[in-house]
Every structure is written in C-alpha cells, then in structure tokens.
Amino acid sequence: MARSCDAIIIGAGPAGLATAAALQARGLNAAILEKADAIGAVWRRHYDRLHLHTDRARSSLPGLPMPKAYGRYPSRASVVEYLEAYAAEFALKPIFNAPVYAVRHEGREWRAEGGEDSRTAPIVVVATGWADYPHTPTWPGIDAFAGEVLHSSRYRNPAPFASQRVLVIGYGNSGAEIALDLAEAAVDVTLSVRSPVNVVPRELFGVPILFFPAAEQWLPPRVADALNAPMIQFAIGSIEKLGLKRSPKGPLQSIAEDGRVPLIDIGTLDAIRGGRIKLRDDIASFGRESVVFKQSPAERFDAIILATGFRPDLRALLPDAEGVLNATGAPLVSGRATAEPGLFFCGAIPSALGQFRQISVEAQRIADAARA
Ligand SMILES: Cc1cc2nc3c(=O)[nH]c(=O)nc-3n(C[C@H](O)[C@H](O)[C@H](O)COP(=O)(O)OP(=O)(O)OC[C@H]3O[C@@H](n4cnc5c(N)ncnc54)[C@H](O)[C@@H]3O)c2cc1C
C-alpha cells in the first residue's frame, strides 16, 4: 500500500532531523524513514572516545543550541542525547525499522520502497550519510593475512588490542584519533600514511578552527589558505620533520576542489613526536603475519585497522534518477535542487564549515526550495 505525505526523508541522523524540522517550520509534513531502531543510530556506534572535532556552537542544528554543559567539544554520548532532544523539541517522530531499498518515479511524485509498505510524495530528501559505505581497499596478499582486519567504523576502543602490534592505515580524522586512542592505552601502534596531508589544530589562539573558514568565506580558498598558513604552521610545528608530506593545496582549497577535509589534530602529532605512534609509508603487500611497506622493510602486525574512509554509492537506492549521481554513485550536488525535480540530498558533500554546520545550512535551503 502506498501512503502519501508532503515529503519523505530517508534517515534519522542529523541531516534527516534538521531537514524535517525545517520543512515542518514551513508547514510541510515529512515522513522520516529510518532503517535502525533509534535516532542518531550512527553516532550510537562510533568509537567510545569520540568527541566532536567541531565546536558546539558551530555544530548545533537549527532551532536548538547544544547545552553549554556539553562543553566546547561534545562527546559522542552528548551528541546522541542532543539528537534525541532535537527530535523531541520539534515533535519529530521517525518511523523506525523502515529501510528504504529504492526510490523511484511514480508519475510526478517519488515512491520510497521499503520492507512492508511504500510511501509517495512530491519531495524526497536522501539523508542517508556515509556510514553504510566503508571504503576497504585491497593489497596483494591481504586475504592471506592471519590477523584481524577491520574498518575504522567497526573500531570501538583499545581493549581488544592490548599487547598487540596494530597498524592503522590512513591518516584522516578517524585514523589519527584511533591511533592516538591505541597509543594512550600503551598499544604498540604504527600509522601508515600514503598521501600528503593537511593538518590543522583544533583551535588557533584559543579560537575554534571553524571560525576561520566561516569568517573568510568571501575570500577565494587559495587566498584564505595563504593567509592562514603561518598561524597553522606556528600552531602545529613542522610536519615535514616527522616524515609527513604537506599537501600542495591548502585545507580550504582541498575541500573546495577535491572534497578532502583537513585533519583536525587533537594530539596525534605530539604522540608521533614522542615516539608513541610510529609512522610508515604506503603499503606494498601483505604477508601471513607481516606488512611490506613501499620504502621500509616488512614488519609483523597482529591487527590492521583500515581508516580508509567512506565512498557513498547511491546507484542502487536511486535506480531511475538521472543526472544526480557521478560515475561512482556519489551525489553531484547537496542541499540544493538536483537535475531531478523534488529530489534532494542533505549533507552529502564535505564542507569547509564542518558537516553539522553544512547540514544546518542545507536543511534550510532544501525546505525553502520544497516550499517554493
Ligand atoms: C567518526 C566521525 C566523526 C565525525 N565528527 C564530526 C564532527 O566533529 N563535526 C562535524 O560537523 N561532522 C562530523 N562528522 C561528519 C558528519 O557530521 C556525521 O557523519 C553526521 O552524523 C552526518 O549526519 P547524516 O545525518 O548525514 O548521516 P548519519 O548520521 O550517518 O545518519 C544517516 C541515517 O540514515 C539511516 N539510513 C541510511 N540508509 C538508509 C536507508 N536506505 N533507509 C532508511 N534509513 C537509512 C542510517 O541508519 C542513519 O541513521 C563525523 C563523522 C564521522 C564518521
């Protein structure tokens, strides 16, 4: 049976909730379909020590500031609590255990096909996030590796790795924090870094780092990067001395041109300097108990953590939508009209503002476009 409403939102994470509240404020009634059994399902299963890297003030969703009691960088548990409070504040009632398998055209509307029933609406907002699409690269010999290999999205805490030799592959925000988590628990941890990086401090002179891209939005990213570079260099010191390569593009240019967010350092560089995290280069191949690096000798490891990011692929979810996804299934635009009337994505593309902030901006824009 197909039921109709003003809009269908797929996902009850920050993007789905913020969009639902924004639509409601404009008099539109949205059905939020969530495949999990609770709000903020992805934040419930992130690793234990996670705190927002972006500050509370710039991570709140529209209409409800995060409480001061959460501190400047709220914990994972506080984020979950906040998302619940957000839904309660706006009386949002997601339909749980409602996975959407495909969204198809139905006349001039959209039909979201789920398990037991389907819904139709003129507007559909895909707010499914990235968590379902862990990127797991492969290397020669990895299938024969005897130890555990897990993606960062399945890492919870250092306990299972006590007295093991762990290799974390990838120096993004998750890889850096997981390596630090392991090092602080005295686990023998090595970080494999393949590419040049952009590292920024969480704060500059006591001001949260996100203040700067927000204040410099009117400048071309390359110019803003040039302005910020001396302060960032002063705050984090030389990363080249540690053996890391600095990205030829600055942080803002990298986000704007390649969708690559910078690494917000919360102590990993100090742990590398102190020798508590060892650095190695790119991986050439795996042995049964070892890893061969491209520029350094093979070493033995007990476990591998792939902090290799996420690659959303929405082709199966949107089988007959045209001109909205790139060749690998990632949305071409987010938070604005797509090539398919009535179809929107929220929070689908990384932003210099921080993703929560970007979601807030996009939710309002989508609601305005839906109301028009
Ligand atoms: C480790 C980590 C730390 C982060 N830290 C920050 C930070 O400090 N600051 C910041 O601004 N951003 C951060 N982000 C980025 C981003 O803000 C979060 O990932 C945020 O949760 C994204 O919200 P979302 O609603 O787009 O996606 P999600 O939170 O992933 O929510 C998507 C929801 O959709 C549901 N869903 C998916 N597919 C379907 C389907 N087919 N049918 C029904 N339901 C479906 C999922 O179950 C989920 O509940 C972080 C991301 C990660 C991975």
Side-chain angles (χ1 to χ4, degrees):
M1 187 184 75
R3 286 187 251 166
S4 63
C5 46
D6 294 326
I8 296 164
I9 295 174
I10 311 172
L17 297 175
T19 309
L23 287 168
Q24 185 173 275
R26 289 156 183 82
L28 297 175
N29 158 40
I32 311 171
L33 305 179
E34 167 56 54
K35 67 179 178 177
D37 60 2
I39 281 164
V42 174
W43 276 87
R44 287 174 199 272
R45 55 176 198 258
H46 280 321
Y47 45 89
D48 296 350
R49 73 170 278 150
L50 181 65
H51 284 64
L52 285 178
H53 288 191
T54 55
D55 60 296
R56 183 186 77 237
R58 289 175 190 78
S59 306
S60 296
L61 300 176
L64 184 68
M66 287 191 192
K68 267 194 173 158
Y70 286 0
R72 191 175 254 188
Y73 300 99
S75 69
R76 184 183 68 88
S78 295
V79 173
V80 172
E81 183 182 280
Y82 171 73
L83 295 176
E84 281 179 343
Y86 194 84
E89 174 78 13
F90 297 103
L92 306 175
K93 297 201 168 25
I95 300 155
F96 295 117
N97 303 305
V100 175
Y101 301 127
V103 178
R104 297 178 196 276
H105 290 112
E106 170 131 323
R108 295 168 69 91
E109 301 210 327
W110 292 95
R111 178 210 288 268
E113 297 171 356
E116 288 175 7
D117 62 357
S118 62
R119 282 170 196 266
T120 58
I123 306 289
V124 65
V125 182
V126 177
T128 47
W130 306 325
D132 285 340
Y133 307 94
H135 174 53
T136 54
T138 183
W139 292 268
I142 190 161
D143 291 339
F145 181 71
E148 186 179 8
V149 179
L150 80 162
H151 188 266
S152 61
S153 54
R154 289 175 44 222
Y155 174 87
R156 296 290 169 271
N157 58 54
F161 302 98
S163 66
Q164 294 196 1
R165 286 157 303 187
V166 181
L167 176 65
V168 178
I169 302 177
Y171 188 36
N173 283 299
S174 294
E177 187 162 14
I178 289 171
L180 182 62
D181 202 26
L182 291 164
E184 287 178 351
V187 174
D188 181 342
V189 57
T190 302
L191 188 58
S192 163
V193 186
R194 182 182 62 177
S195 311
V197 289
N198 267 311
V199 188
V200 300
R202 192 167 66 169
E203 294 182 355
L204 265 177
F205 311 116
V207 178
I209 194 73
L210 280 194
F211 167 82
F212 296 88
E216 294 165 340
Q217 273 182 81
W218 49 278
L219 286 174
R222 189 194 287 259
V223 175
D225 280 333
L227 270 179
N228 299 337
M231 293 184 287
I232 292 175
Q233 170 81 13
F234 174 77
I236 62 166
S238 165
I239 61 168
E240 287 86 352
K241 274 191 190 154
L242 301 175
L244 293 164
K245 286 184 222 118
R246 188 180 301 277
S247 167
K249 292 181 187 175
L252 299 175
Q253 196 187 353
S254 279
I255 297 175
E257 293 179 8
D258 309 320
R260 289 176 67 98
V261 293
L263 169 59
I264 299 180
D265 183 61
I266 56 164
T268 307
L269 284 177
D270 274 350
I272 294 171
R273 282 191 190 99
R276 285 172 289 133
I277 297 174
K278 289 167 271 181
L279 276 188
R280 297 290 180 269
D281 61 301
D282 195 7
I283 290 159
S285 62
F286 280 73
R288 218 185 111 63
E289 294 179 334
S290 61
V291 174
V292 182
F293 296 95
K294 288 196 173 155
Q295 289 164 26
S296 49
E299 289 176 49
R300 291 167 68 90
F301 290 100
D302 302 302
I304 310 293
I305 297 173
L306 301 174
T308 41
F310 298 84
R311 303 241 172 121
D313 180 354
L314 300 175
R315 285 174 288 185
L317 185 68
L318 297 167
D320 61 8
E322 284 182 17
V324 298
L325 303 176
N326 68 15
T328 59
L332 291 170
V333 295
S334 185
R336 56 181 77 244
T338 66
E340 289 277 12
L343 173 64
F344 296 90
F345 301 94
C346 186
I349 296 178
S351 155
L353 298 176
Q355 210 58 15
F356 272 81
R357 185 92 191 98
Q358 181 67 19
I359 283 168
S360 301
V361 171
E362 291 187 8
Q364 303 293 340
R365 272 207 237 121
I366 291 169
D368 285 339
R371 192 76 192 87

